[in-house]
Amino acid sequence: MKKMIARDLIVIGTSAGGVEALQVVARGLPRDLQAAVLIVIHLSAESPYLLPEILRKVSPLEIANVSDGVRIESGKVYVAPPDCHLLVKANTLKLSKGPKENRSRPAIDPLFRTAAAAYGPRVIGVILTGMLDDGSAGLSAVKECGGTTVVQDPADALYPSMPQSALRYVGADYTVLLAGLAPLLTRLVQEPTNALENVPRSKLNQIESRFSEMSTIDRHEMDAIGSQAGVSCPECHGPMWKIKDGKLQRYRCHVGHAYTAQTMAEGQIEAQEAHLWQALRLMKERISLIGEMRRQAEDDQRQSDIDGCDGQIRYLERSIAELQGILQCAK
């Protein structure tokens, strides 16, 4: 059944170039905005939590402290802290150390997915500047649950990859220049939407929301949302499932690490380099050990052992040179 529903939850995802973009948006939102604003920007686990203080200098809205279980209130801005997913559970916030998605924690997709599940058509999902394609799957969940989708015009973004991916795989109700985003959000909050109140969620959306909360998902459930991909997870090295999410190709392991095809490729390159460096270290350690064995053979005057050690060292030195060339090409 359709009825007029107020849009009272804005979720914003961004990455590279996001601090500058968020300041523009925060500066333009009115003090009496009848919606809460939840923000995820990609941060490393070691990053200082500076964005709230930066936004306090420019925003007329209250930049609220974020803690697990805090109630979501209109007129406040909540920023995901480093190394925690920011999730929505009913009308409260939840902080989770759940598995990384697209090699990030916090990641955009878990916020958008759980917000869509809890608020349905009341959600406005916004994708801003950033690299790669985190946020596309989350924006798809917002759209699936009847929410409104907004994407920064890629031509206007410092880093256009994330907006381009969102438009390519999901589409948007509104594509807007950064300067026009705050006025658009203000208008959307003021104008109720004529939407279905309770949109049925797909099995994919339901299962993936549980991952962010660190629920156990068995392999039969994974088979229900995808097919085994024949590749291992770059993070935990477990088997992965290939998930078809509309036009977007994604991957998940049953522990919960999630990747788009693009971030999966990036993760494999990083894992490959780590293994190559490990192999290089082991070869050098082996040369050191064989050198000790050679010196012992000299003391005992065992020429055959000396020759064998020399051959192994020459082989390892050639292997190291080849491996260093591979590593150089991988950079």
Side-chain angles (χ1 to χ4, degrees):
M1 178 181 175
K2 288 188 175 183
K3 69 176 199 177
M4 301 307 290
I5 297 172
R7 302 179 180 98
D8 58 356
L9 186 70
I10 299 169
V11 290
I12 301 176
T14 186
S15 180
V19 173
E20 296 84 353
L22 288 168
Q23 289 179 82
V24 173
V25 177
R27 188 181 291 113
L29 293 173
R31 185 181 299 275
D32 60 351
L33 184 73
Q34 295 302 301
V37 181
L38 277 55
I39 295 171
V40 164
I41 183 169
H42 288 167
L43 299 166
S44 70
E46 297 78 23
S47 295
Y49 191 36
L50 299 178
L51 184 57
E53 194 56 42
I54 291 171
L55 295 182
R56 284 188 183 101
K57 295 177 180 178
V58 298
S59 177
L61 295 170
E62 179 182 344
I63 312 300
N65 294 321
V66 173
S67 59
D68 192 57
V70 70
R71 186 180 180 84
I72 299 171
E73 297 181 36
S74 289
K76 293 186 178 182
V77 177
Y78 305 87
V79 180
D83 203 31
C84 285
H85 290 310
L86 181 64
L87 312 177
V88 177
K89 188 79 170 176
N91 59 353
T92 61
L93 296 179
K94 181 177 177 62
L95 297 179
S96 169
K97 291 280 191 177
K100 291 181 179 179
E101 297 203 20
N102 294 315
R103 305 170 67 209
S104 296
R105 188 175 56 222
I108 300 166
D109 287 340
L111 169 62
F112 279 36
R113 191 181 297 121
T114 56
Y119 279 67
R122 296 160 59 189
V123 176
I124 303 171
V126 183
I127 295 294
L128 300 180
T129 172
M131 298 177 68
L132 299 180
D133 49 8
D134 187 25
S136 293
L139 197 69
S140 178
V142 170
K143 184 176 183 178
E144 174 193 312
C145 293
T148 304
T149 56
V150 180
V151 175
Q152 183 181 3
D153 188 331
D156 181 55
L158 283 174
Y159 296 86
S161 297
M162 272 177 35
Q164 286 172 341
S165 174
L167 292 174
R168 181 184 306 119
Y169 294 115
V170 184
D173 296 313
Y174 301 90
T175 304
V176 63
L177 300 176
L178 185 62
L181 182 54
L184 172 64
L185 294 176
T186 302
R187 177 169 65 81
L188 291 174
V189 169
Q190 292 171 344
E191 297 175 356
T193 176
N194 184 19
L196 288 171
E197 187 172 8
N198 295 304
V199 179
R201 295 168 60 201
S202 67
K203 191 172 188 67
L204 174 60
N205 193 326
Q206 294 176 41
I207 289 176
E208 291 200 295
S209 294
R210 288 164 54 200
F211 271 123
S212 303
E213 299 176 15
M214 301 183 70
S215 298
T216 301
I217 309 295
D218 63 37
R219 296 192 176 205
H220 297 296
E221 291 179 291
M222 293 300 298
D223 289 337
I225 63 172
S227 57
Q228 292 201 35
V231 295
S232 59
C233 174
E235 185 82 14
C236 69
H237 313 299
M240 300 209 76
W241 277 255
K242 182 166 58 177
I243 297 169
K244 189 68 174 176
D245 185 3
K247 299 178 183 177
L248 187 63
Q249 185 69 63
R250 298 194 288 117
Y251 297 84
R252 263 199 193 271
C253 69
H254 75 283
V255 171
H257 299 114
Y259 305 84
T260 62
Q262 193 173 11
T263 54
M264 178 75 168
E266 293 281 329
Q268 286 179 328
I269 290 170
E270 189 175 279
Q272 174 189 338
E273 184 174 346
H275 287 308
L276 289 173
W277 281 113
Q278 184 181 40
L280 185 61
R281 174 182 61 79
L282 289 170
M283 286 181 184
K284 290 190 173 183
E285 288 177 356
R286 190 175 173 199
I287 283 179
S288 177
L289 176 61
I290 293 171
E292 290 291 335
M293 294 168 62
R294 187 185 189 283
R295 285 188 287 275
Q296 183 64 46
E298 285 179 339
D299 291 343
D300 296 342
Q301 297 183 335
R302 291 178 298 180
Q303 188 60 46
S304 61
D305 288 348
I306 292 171
D307 293 341
C309 288
D310 287 344
Q312 289 189 59
I313 290 172
R314 284 194 297 272
Y315 167 75
L316 288 169
E317 286 175 340
R318 288 195 302 271
S319 298
I320 287 172
E322 291 174 3
L323 194 51
Q324 286 174 326
I326 293 171
L327 282 165
Q328 188 64 36
C329 292
K331 290 183 179 180

